[in-house]
Structures are given as C-alpha cells and as structure tokens.
Amino acid sequence: MSTIPRRPLSAVLPALLALLAAVLFAAVPTASARTEAVPTATLTEVTGFGTNPSNLQMYLYVPANVTAHPAVVVAVHYCTGSGPAMYNGTEWAQLADTYGFVVIYPSVTRSSKCFDVSSPQALKRGGGSDPVGIKSMIDWTVNAYSADTARIYATGISSGAMMTNVLLGDYPDVFAAGAAFSGVPFGCFATTDGSEWNSACSGGTITHTPQEWGDLVRAAYPGYTGTRPRMQVWHGTEDDVLRYPNFGEEIKEWTNVLGVSQTPAATDSPVSGWTRTRYGATGDRAPVEAISLQGVGHNLYSWGMADRALTFFGLNAGGPAPEPQPGACKVTATTNAWNTGLTASVTVTNTGTTTVNGWKLAFTLPTGQTITNGWGVTYSPASGAVTATNAAYNGTIAPNASVSIGYQANHSGNSAAPGGFTLNGASCTSG
C-alpha cells in the first residue's frame, strides 16, 4: 500500500518537504492489504484486493471516526483523471469525515484514463473489465470493515458517471443508489470494435423507448427480480461532450427499470437555473431524481453537489427515510355511453405486497371527453391528463384489495375508456 497526504503542505522549505515525503512513504506497511486495515484520515492505495481483469488501481479513504458497519461510496473519476484527482477535487472525503462512511476511489491505468463502459464484457454482470475490478474493491472493503451491504452507493463524473450507470445495471444487488454527473444511459456507449468512444451516443443521437432502454439494463443480469437501485442524474443543457439529449434518455431508462411513471411526481428549482424533477415519489429519496442545469456545459460538477447526492443516498445525519417505491397495480375501466355523454366505472387493484396508504391515480381521457361529476375520488383537471385523489374513506388499499370509483363525462363522439394509468407514479396494467 502507499499513502497520499490529504492536504498539500505550504510554506515549507522544499528540502524539508522532500524529507517528510520520504519518511512518510518509507513508513508505509508492506503486508498484505487483505489482512490489514488501512491508515485513517489519509488516502491509501490498496493492492491485491481481488480479481482485477483491467488492472485498475484502488484508493481508499477511511475517516478517523469510521462507524461500525459503515456505508461505502464508490467515487469514480472522469477521463484523464485518477482516484487521487477525484479525492482532491470533490468533497466526498470531507463528507466521510462528517458521517463516518468509507470512500473507494477506483483509478484507471489504461492510457486514456477513461473507464470501460463500451465493451460487451463491461456491460454484463461478471463479464470482465472495469466493473469486475470495482466489485472486487467493494468486496475487499466490506470484508475489511464489516461494511453495511445495504448501504453501498456509486457516484461519478463524466466517464465516472457513465460507469455509475453501468455499475447499477451490472450489479443491482450490490448498490442501493447512484448519482451520475454528466453521463449517458447504460448501454448507450456500447461498441463491438474495441473502441472506447461512441460518437453517436456522445452526440445525443441514440434514442430508445423506455422499454428498450430498460431491457438493455435487465439484460446485464438476466433473471434478476430483486430490488433495483435508485438513480440521480445531473446534466447541463449546454454539454458539448455528452450532449443534453442523453439526460432525457437516462430518465427514460431508469424510470422504466424502476417501474415508475415518466411524468414527474414533483418539479422544483432548488437553485436558480436548476430544474429538479422527481419520479415515483416526491421526497428526497424518490426512485429517480433528475437535475437539469440551464446554460451549463459538460464540467458542471461543483463543490456542494456531492452533499446533495448524499441527501439522495440518505447518508447525511437526520435525513428522511426512503420513500417506499410504488407497488404494482391493475386497473379495469369500462364506459357506458349515450349520445353525448357516458358513465365510466374504474376499479383499482393493489397487486403489490405492501399496503398503499394514500393514493393518486393518474390517467388520460380520450380527446373530447370532459368529466362533469364523479364519485369515490376528487378529479382534477376535468379533461386531458387527469389525477384522481382518494377520498378519506378509501385511502388505504391492502395487497390484493380493490377500490371502485367512477365518473360521468360529456364526449364529442369518442366514448372510449381512459388509458395510461399510474398509481402513485407506478404504471398499472390494464385488465
């Protein structure tokens, strides 16, 4: 192992600085990394951490006040960067000092200093290349510090943001959440010719349906049916390296993977020029959160953003509990029409395994229909994209239980039933 001082010394004679550095490096233990804990409050390179097919380096920061069974954050650098550069250029180590978690800084040794997010090996669980090496770093850290395997997170900038997408796709059972700053969707950068760069993706010209994006993620770990990690994505509207359309494609991908509506459950502007949308829930730990920065280019990351990612992860003291992801649902809708009017009957069934407490059913009325009155819920607005909010007496839906509601509406010739149902942001099947 080798250690890197956390802060550069200043106003010290060069000779003394060289002497101190020599003493520091001479004092580093040379025993097997797997059998010794690393020094605290300093960045340390760990060697021999496990399977590492692409020869990544592992740097680790353990705060002096590391908690028992700590959380782990994997902080992934940008192209031309390194683990130490990520350590010095972001506040993850300072946040670790405050909250007691451990930070892993993977570091690329190939000449480009970019992570492999392109090869078939990288886009498959256990397929080889960088993701396998990073997973070994996590395993080593979990073993060395009895880390909490339910609180492992990934974050990255640019190439590291792309790797964050890849890690969450390859290892959904490992990560609780990710935060990607200026990245692209999982699978967007895929190549088969050995190239690390995909110009179509970087240019923002690769688009897919949400289902197609989601299928790419699911194909990385076929047969996996467990919980998927939450995702936070950041992008500048003037990004000239990984163009802004990639931001929308990431949202499509992860809302599909997490089974929530692409219609935001909440929209706000926490900072002037920022637009934040949340999908599937409204709080700080929604399934998907997206932050768009107006007029900002590729190098959007600035001090303080990691703290916002930490809030999304839920690692800051006093943070809110995670909002439950919406359960599965099924909706049956029928209409009984006459000349210019109709009556609609809608049955909502909770097909999930947990009770729904308080609900909103969103749907779209056919063109030309306007609700004139209804029962069981409050409808707003009366046409177009409608939200039905539960009444006081039917706000709880137990697993496998149903609630029936209805309305009367005028129509101009199209008396079809509504469609596109979502319950608390989760897409419902129709039956």
Side-chain angles (χ1 to χ4, degrees):
M1 294 182 287
S2 60
T3 56
I4 297 176
R6 180 163 180 193
R7 293 286 180 268
L9 299 175
S10 59
V12 180
L13 292 175
L16 178 58
L17 181 59
L19 176 61
L20 288 173
V23 170
L24 175 64
F25 281 95
V28 173
T30 58
S32 168
R34 188 165 293 279
T35 60
E36 289 190 2
V38 304
T40 60
T42 187
L43 186 65
T44 304
E45 183 180 2
V46 176
T47 59
F49 51 83
T51 304
N52 183 22
S54 54
N55 195 33
L56 297 178
Q57 291 175 287
M58 174 184 176
Y59 292 90
L60 192 68
Y61 183 78
V62 179
N65 64 334
V66 62
T67 61
H69 309 297
V72 177
V73 173
V74 181
V76 193
H77 67 74
Y78 42 88
C79 283
T80 74
S82 66
M86 191 73 173
Y87 164 79
N88 286 313
T90 65
E91 67 266 42
W92 284 109
Q94 288 86 342
L95 293 170
D97 286 338
T98 301
Y99 299 111
F101 57 85
V102 175
V103 189
I104 299 171
Y105 298 93
S107 196
V108 170
T109 57
R110 65 178 62 90
S111 60
S112 67
K113 302 297 183 181
C114 296
F115 284 91
D116 175 15
V117 296
S118 306
S119 73
Q121 292 78 19
L123 298 175
K124 180 181 179 181
R125 176 187 180 84
S129 197
D130 296 347
V132 169
I134 294 173
K135 173 63 163 54
S136 295
M137 298 177 195
I138 295 168
D139 291 342
W140 185 92
T141 304
V142 168
N143 290 335
Y145 291 93
S146 298
D148 185 350
T149 56
R151 295 189 300 147
I152 297 176
Y153 306 87
T155 186
I157 301 170
S158 189
S159 179
M162 293 192 277
M163 178 52 72
T164 298
N165 278 264
V166 169
L167 289 171
L168 267 60
D170 285 356
Y171 296 101
D173 54 330
V174 172
F175 295 96
F181 296 86
S182 303
V184 304
F186 177 101
C188 184
F189 240 62
T191 61
T192 57
D193 60 0
S195 172
E196 294 181 35
W197 194 258
N198 185 318
S199 296
C201 179
S202 65
T205 62
I206 293 181
T207 61
H208 290 298
T209 67
Q211 183 69 35
E212 289 168 343
W213 280 123
D215 287 346
L216 287 175
V217 173
R218 288 181 284 270
Y221 188 4
Y224 178 73
T225 59
T227 301
R228 294 276 178 176
R230 297 177 297 111
M231 176 60 99
Q232 181 188 66
V233 294
W234 300 67
H235 223 100
T237 61
E238 300 304 314
D239 193 323
D240 60 353
V241 177
L242 300 173
R243 297 285 183 176
Y244 186 66
N246 284 299
F247 178 65
E249 298 302 300
E250 281 182 293
I251 294 171
K252 287 160 62 176
E253 181 170 74
W254 291 105
T255 52
N256 180 267
V257 168
L258 287 160
V260 299
S261 173
Q262 289 184 70
T263 301
T267 302
D268 65 358
S269 182
V271 173
S272 178
W274 294 16
T275 300
R276 179 173 60 187
T277 47
R278 287 166 168 166
Y279 302 84
T282 59
D284 287 337
R285 297 176 69 181
V288 177
E289 181 173 276
I291 302 95
S292 172
L293 282 67
Q294 182 63 39
V296 175
H298 185 63
N299 296 322
L300 66 77
Y301 183 86
S302 63
W303 214 260
M305 289 181 178
D307 197 26
R308 292 182 178 273
L310 196 76
T311 298
F312 179 74
F313 292 167
L315 290 182
N316 48 353
E323 295 198 27
Q325 295 184 20
C329 49
K330 177 181 178 181
V331 175
T332 301
T334 60
T335 58
N336 183 15
W338 60 91
N339 294 334
T340 59
L342 62 86
T343 299
S345 298
V346 179
T347 300
V348 183
T349 302
N350 175 9
T351 57
T353 59
T354 58
T355 298
V356 174
N357 291 301
W359 52 272
K360 294 180 183 292
L361 181 71
F363 57 87
T364 301
L365 284 176
T367 301
Q369 291 187 16
T370 302
I371 295 174
T372 56
N373 63 75
W375 50 92
V377 290
T378 301
Y379 295 96
S380 178
S383 61
V386 178
T387 298
T389 303
N390 69 269
Y393 64 85
N394 64 4
T396 299
I397 312 176
N400 299 315
S402 299
V403 172
S404 294
I405 61 175
Y407 58 85
Q408 288 184 325
N410 294 328
H411 69 84
S412 59
N414 185 350
S415 60
F421 292 98
T422 63
L423 183 67
N424 290 353
S427 297
C428 299
T429 60
S430 297

